[in-house]
Structure formats: structure tokens, C-alpha cells
Amino acid sequence: MATATKKKTSARPSKTSKVKFGPKPHPVSIQFTEEMKGFISLPGTSSYHEDYEAGKKAGNYLMFHLTIRIPDTEFFVYDPNETGEAIGWVECQPLGGRFEVEKGVFNLFVDSGKPSANEKHMKYRLFLKNKAGTKITLNGFKKVVDDGLLNIWRDTSTLYTTVYEGYVEEKAEPKAKILGTGILRILEKDFIKQMTTIRSNGRTFSERKDAALRFGELFLGNLWEIYGAQFRGAEPELWRERDIPVFTLEGVKGAKISHHPFVTEDKISVGLIRFQKKESKDVVILMHGLTTSTDMFVMPEHKNLVTYLHENGYGDVWSFDWRGSMRFSYNLFPHRYNLDDIALYDVPAALKLVREAVGPGKRIHFVVHCVGSISFFMSLLAGKLEGITSVVSNSVSLTPNVPTWSRIKLSFAPFLMEGVLRFPNVNPRWHYLPGFASGKLLAKFVSLFHHECDEPACHMLSLMWGTGWPACYEHENLPDITHRRVGDLFGATSLNYYRHIRKAVGRKSMIKYEPTDKRYESLPNTYLDGASKVKTPILFMTGDKNKVFKDSNIVAYETFGRLNPGNKNELFIAKGYGHQDTLMGKKSDKDIFPRILEFLKKHS
């Protein structure tokens, strides 16, 4: 590096104006030692997570002990393509024991090559040889992507690993033989140890300090460039990223669609949507679950229930958006409505409106789901509904049973959310809130425990309902586009409905929430008391993988059988299905709807 003194204004330079040339300062290095451990599948399939699980099951343990050395820290910082050295060894008994690193290359924060993604990779390429002379190549990358600040540890400690036969450069990978693939991770205790191994060859403390600071600024700066984008950018745009419009009715073709809003006796606006393809002696009314809406019955990405009924002789279908529908903004605010309100005010009024619209002599059937099913049966057994021809109940009715973790959540979540965290509702789309928001932080925290998919709204639904990864449905039963838009199909809700369900779970059957409240004096304290009087045939339906209400409808079927012998009730257990996917799965029209249709026709 050359330096020069400032020229004097005099034509004759002074003795002090000499140009000084000196040797280039010696490069200052920095190094640290890291260990990563995990499992690989032999041979691999390039599906890293599946191969990790398969390798773990088979005991194909792999670990490495590497010293990463940056020879010239300053040069490394200013050139993103500059490489560091990796020195050490790799051990994997199924591959041949311990391999020494003949040559190792390390890249930090290289562009992933995906133009539309805010994603960078930390790359490792190790050329390895064991005592027997076997040569292999380990290639690994850490994917650092804009998936939230709370995921920094997961991203920077997870190495997606591929092992090739022989020494393989990056360009030769497509034709190289893959020996195994899997995942390695840095354990927390190993990371703490790694922090104590940072070394520099700086001759002075100042040089060593500067080298460490330069490397630290490079590392943290790249992390901020990736993870901080959501705080720097126009995050409200995330709310507009969707494949299908919100509240669309495009999934029902060739029908006359009409809206029928009404106000309940306790002054709440609710409504029905009528999908009429043709005149029909049999009318079907659909009731969604809590936080969903009519949308779950009219999804355009697959054959939906309304369309299926139209195509099979049921030309007059109504969908009832009761007060728990995500279509109503009052669910965004704290309230104290309970399921007694729905049973007393919503369902009877909806049935009355439909009867007035379709005229006398029509047979009316209900298909009810989740909390909509619970509320319907509460109204039916309270004697508020008469003349119902048949009922199809999905997942739960009057005997709610939930997993243990769900019981714990029901016990503490309403008070914690409303009283401590001061949330007005629980919303599956909290992750997409712009800027800093408490709901957003909670959503990101929840996602730390859900690695089964990359959809934050799906993670929040598992918090809101049930116990599982995921809880509400089986991933394989949903179309990809449905999974991407679950935040549009499930909305926010206030917490008081959960309190009523908690009370019923404790008693193992639905009971009145406030027995002394005179508004509900026409409702029974225990709803199952009216089971012996119900003559309406019921199809109790549930998935065998129901992780929200477990075997609730199986128990209901057996309970109704004991309380009302000789009834025409039936039970259908859908193999491979959960709670929600029975009615909105990509193959529901083949696996589920025919059974509903069979039951309806039997009673039409």
C-alpha cells in the first residue's frame, strides 16, 4: 500500500514531502473450530428432512470437526466470493470410518441464485480420504432465508448435506454418484464451545480485535440484510400475497347466488348464502366451524361440497355464516358470546328464514361441522328446531373430547391471551403483521416449535386448535394452494367460546355456560337430557386422525345409541383424515362426500 504526503504550494518540494513506499501489511487471519452432528440416508434421495429421519432410524451417524480459517480477514470481508480454508476430519462408520480433510473450502453468505428470494448460503466443500484410500466429497450448505428473526438459530445451525463418491467439484455434481444425503446440526453446547475457539494471528491486540470486529460485522450485517428486510420493507404488501381472492364464490358455477342477511334477537348481524342450481324437494343447510366461514364449502381449487351436492341432485344448498364466521368483523374484538347464544338466537332464526324462502313441504337437511355442529345439536336438543329430516355431523357434537395438551391450553390460554398479553383475539395471520407487533412475535415464537411446514398460519392454527404438527388436518390431504391460504380460510376469534368448550370438556358433555342467566332459562342445563326425544337420523362422522376433537363423535354415536335405542343413526370413520380436511381436502369428493350423499339420499 502506498501513502503520500500532501504537496506544498512551493515549486520546490521540502524534505518532508518525499513519497514513502513501504511493505504491504501482513494479512491478519481469523479462525474458529466447529462441530456439527447429524444423520444421513444411504443412499440419499435429496429430500434432506426425509433422509435425515431415515438415517436416524438406521443409525447412520455423521459428524465433522473442522477448523475454519480465514487467511486474510480484510480481503474476505470485501470479496463475497472469497473462500476460507476448512481443516479437520469427518467421521461416519457406514461410509468408512474417519476421513481426513485433504482440501476444504468454506464460503460465507453466497447468493443462492434465486432472483426472487432474499436467501444466501453458507457453503462447505470437503475433499476427504480415509486410511483405506477411499475418497469422498462432502458438500453442505446452510440456507439463510428471510423467514423471521426467531429462525436465525435454526437457519445458521442447520447444514443440508450431500456426500458424493470421489472428489467432485460443484460443476460435476449433476453427473456424480450420490452416496448419502441428510442434515447436520450444531448443538447448543457445541456452539458455546465454538465461541471459545476464535483465534487470530494479529501481532497486536488491536489487530486481533479489528479482525474479529470485521468478521463479526460481516456476519451480523448479512443477517440483518436478510432477516431485517421484513422490518425495513413495506410489509403490508404481505397481506396482498394470495392465489385466490378472499371470500370468493367462484368455486360454485352455474348457480343463482343470493345473500340473506338477518339480525338475531340479541342484535347480532349474521347471514345465509343460497346456492340454487334448480328447484329441489330437499334443501341442505351447511354450518361451518368456529373461525371459518362459507368459504370452506365453496373452495375453487378442488371439487367443493356445494358443487358436489349440486351435481348429485341437491340443487338448493344454503350456507349459514353464524356469529363465529370470520366474515364478521365483530369477532376481532373481545366479547362474551358463548355457544348458548348460537343455539338460542342464531340457528333457530336461520332455519326459520330458510323455511320462509323455500316454502312449505320441503325436506331440510343439515351438514354441520366443529363448533357449528356443537351449537346446532345444542339447539336441536333444547327443542328449538323442529322438522329436520337428517343431520350429518363432522368431528364433534355434544360430547367434546380433546387431547391432553389441548386441555392445558383451554385452561390457561383465554386468561393468558386476554388478561396478560392483552390480545383482543387470536389470529392465524399474525405473522404477516407489518413492523413490530406483539402478535407477530408470538406467531414467530410458535413457529419455532413447528418445523413440519413453512406456512406460519398453519402453525398458528395448531396453537388455536388441537394438538399436533399440524393439528387441524393432515398435510397430504390438502392441495398446496389450500395450505398456502389457510390464513384466509381460518380467521380471528375472541376467546370466550373456548371458555364454554373448556367447561364442557370438563363435564364430557355440553352444558349451559351460565345456568343462572335468565336469558338462557329456556335452554337445558345439560343438553344430552334431550337426546331420548330426538327422532332425526344422524350421521356422526370423524377422521381417524382427528387431533382436535379426537373420538368425540364416536362417543356421541354410542351415547345416543344408549339414550335413544332404535334410532337410525350411523357412524362413519374416515381413514387417513383429521378434523378439517374431511370437508376441504383435495380428495374429499372421492373419499368423504359420497358417504354424505348416501346418507342424505337414504333420508330424502
Coordinates of all heavy atoms in Angstrom, one line a residue, residues 20 58 61 67 80 114 126 217 220 226 323 325 364 373 376 397 399 402 404 488 530 552 590 593 603:
K20 N 6.6 8.0 0.4 CA 7.1 6.9 1.1 C 6.4 5.6 0.6 O 5.2 5.5 0.5 CB 6.8 7.0 2.6 CG 7.6 8.2 3.2 CD 7.3 8.3 4.7 CE 8.0 9.5 5.3 NZ 7.8 9.6 6.7
A58 N -31.9 -45.6 10.9 CA -30.9 -46.6 10.5 C -29.6 -46.5 11.3 O -28.8 -47.4 11.3 CB -30.6 -46.5 9.0
Y61 N -24.9 -42.3 11.6 CA -24.5 -41.0 12.3 C -23.3 -40.5 11.5 O -22.4 -41.2 11.1 CB -24.1 -41.4 13.7 CG -23.5 -40.3 14.5 CD1 -24.3 -39.2 15.0 CD2 -22.1 -40.2 14.8 CE1 -23.7 -38.2 15.8 CE2 -21.5 -39.2 15.5 CZ -22.4 -38.2 16.0 OH -21.8 -37.2 16.8
T67 N -11.8 -26.8 11.6 CA -11.3 -25.5 11.9 C -11.4 -24.7 10.7 O -10.8 -25.0 9.6 CB -9.8 -25.5 12.4 OG1 -9.7 -26.3 13.6 CG2 -9.3 -24.1 12.6
P80 N -17.2 -11.1 -1.5 CA -18.2 -12.1 -1.1 C -17.9 -13.5 -1.6 O -18.4 -14.5 -1.1 CB -19.5 -11.6 -1.6 CG -19.2 -10.7 -2.7 CD -17.8 -10.1 -2.4
K114 N -31.3 -17.5 -6.5 CA -32.8 -17.4 -6.7 C -33.1 -15.9 -6.7 O -33.1 -15.2 -5.7 CB -33.5 -18.0 -5.5 CG -33.2 -19.5 -5.4 CD -34.0 -20.1 -4.2 CE -33.6 -21.6 -4.1 NZ -34.3 -22.2 -2.9
L126 N -15.8 -30.4 1.2 CA -14.7 -31.1 1.8 C -14.3 -32.3 1.0 O -15.1 -33.1 0.6 CB -15.1 -31.6 3.2 CG -15.7 -30.5 4.2 CD1 -16.1 -31.2 5.5 CD2 -14.7 -29.4 4.4
E217 N -18.9 -8.0 11.9 CA -19.7 -7.0 11.2 C -20.2 -7.6 9.9 O -21.4 -7.5 9.5 CB -19.0 -5.7 10.9 CG -18.7 -4.9 12.1 CD -17.8 -3.7 11.8 OE1 -17.3 -3.7 10.7 OE2 -17.6 -2.9 12.7
L220 N -23.0 -10.3 11.0 CA -24.2 -9.7 11.5 C -24.9 -8.8 10.4 O -26.1 -8.8 10.3 CB -23.9 -8.9 12.8 CG -23.5 -9.7 14.0 CD1 -23.2 -8.8 15.1 CD2 -24.6 -10.7 14.4
I226 N -30.8 -10.0 5.5 CA -31.8 -11.0 5.2 C -33.0 -10.9 6.1 O -34.1 -10.7 5.7 CB -31.1 -12.4 5.3 CG1 -30.0 -12.5 4.2 CG2 -32.2 -13.5 5.1 CD1 -29.2 -13.7 4.4
R323 N -72.6 -16.4 14.0 CA -71.8 -15.4 14.6 C -70.3 -15.7 14.8 O -69.5 -14.8 15.0 CB -72.4 -14.9 15.9 CG -72.3 -15.9 17.1 CD -73.0 -15.4 18.3 NE -74.4 -15.2 18.1 CZ -75.2 -14.5 18.8 NH1 -74.7 -13.8 19.8 NH2 -76.5 -14.4 18.6
S325 N -68.4 -16.8 12.3 CA -67.8 -16.7 11.0 C -66.7 -15.7 10.9 O -66.9 -14.5 11.4 CB -68.9 -16.4 9.9 OG -68.3 -16.1 8.7
I364 N -85.6 -30.6 4.9 CA -84.4 -29.8 5.2 C -83.4 -30.7 6.0 O -83.7 -31.3 7.0 CB -84.8 -28.6 6.1 CG1 -85.7 -27.7 5.2 CG2 -83.5 -27.9 6.5 CD1 -86.1 -26.4 5.9
S373 N -71.3 -27.6 14.6 CA -72.1 -28.8 14.9 C -72.5 -28.9 16.4 O -73.6 -29.2 16.7 CB -71.2 -30.1 14.6 OG -71.8 -31.3 15.0
F376 N -75.4 -26.5 16.8 CA -76.6 -27.0 16.1 C -77.3 -28.0 17.1 O -78.5 -28.0 17.3 CB -76.3 -27.6 14.8 CG -77.5 -28.4 14.2 CD1 -78.4 -27.8 13.5 CD2 -77.6 -29.8 14.4 CE1 -79.5 -28.5 13.0 CE2 -78.7 -30.5 13.9 CZ -79.6 -29.8 13.2
S397 N -70.0 -33.2 18.4 CA -71.3 -32.8 18.5 C -71.6 -32.4 20.0 O -71.3 -31.2 20.4 CB -72.3 -33.9 18.1 OG -72.0 -35.1 18.6
T399 N -70.5 -34.3 22.9 CA -69.6 -35.0 23.8 C -68.1 -34.7 23.5 O -67.4 -35.5 23.0 CB -69.8 -36.5 23.8 OG1 -69.6 -37.0 22.4 CG2 -71.2 -36.9 24.3
V402 N -60.9 -33.8 24.0 CA -59.8 -33.2 23.3 C -58.5 -33.8 23.9 O -58.5 -34.4 25.0 CB -59.7 -31.7 23.5 CG1 -61.0 -31.0 22.9 CG2 -59.6 -31.3 25.0
T404 N -54.7 -34.1 25.7 CA -54.2 -33.5 27.0 C -53.7 -32.1 26.8 O -54.0 -31.2 27.6 CB -53.2 -34.4 27.6 OG1 -53.8 -35.7 27.8 CG2 -52.7 -33.9 28.9
D488 N -56.5 -17.3 5.1 CA -57.7 -16.7 4.5 C -58.9 -17.6 4.8 O -60.0 -17.1 4.6 CB -57.5 -16.5 3.0 CG -56.6 -15.3 2.7 OD1 -56.4 -14.5 3.6 OD2 -56.2 -15.2 1.5
G530 N -82.0 -34.1 26.4 CA -83.0 -34.2 25.3 C -82.7 -35.2 24.3 O -83.5 -35.3 23.3
S552 N -64.6 -37.7 19.7 CA -65.8 -37.1 20.2 C -67.1 -37.7 19.6 O -68.1 -38.0 20.2 CB -65.8 -35.6 20.1 OG -64.7 -35.1 20.8
K590 N -64.1 -37.8 -3.4 CA -64.0 -39.2 -3.6 C -64.0 -40.0 -2.4 O -64.6 -41.1 -2.4 CB -62.7 -39.5 -4.4 CG -62.6 -38.8 -5.8 CD -61.3 -39.1 -6.4 CE -61.2 -38.5 -7.8 NZ -61.3 -37.1 -7.8
F593 N -67.4 -37.2 0.5 CA -68.7 -36.7 0.1 C -69.7 -37.8 -0.4 O -70.9 -37.7 -0.1 CB -68.5 -35.7 -1.1 CG -67.8 -34.4 -0.7 CD1 -67.4 -33.5 -1.6 CD2 -67.6 -34.1 0.6 CE1 -66.7 -32.4 -1.3 CE2 -66.9 -33.0 1.0 CZ -66.4 -32.1 0.1
H603 N -82.4 -40.6 3.3 CA -83.5 -39.9 4.1 C -84.1 -38.8 3.3 O -84.7 -37.9 3.8 CB -82.9 -39.4 5.4 CG -82.3 -40.5 6.2 ND1 -83.1 -41.4 7.0 CD2 -81.0 -40.8 6.4 CE1 -82.3 -42.2 7.6 NE2 -81.0 -41.9 7.3

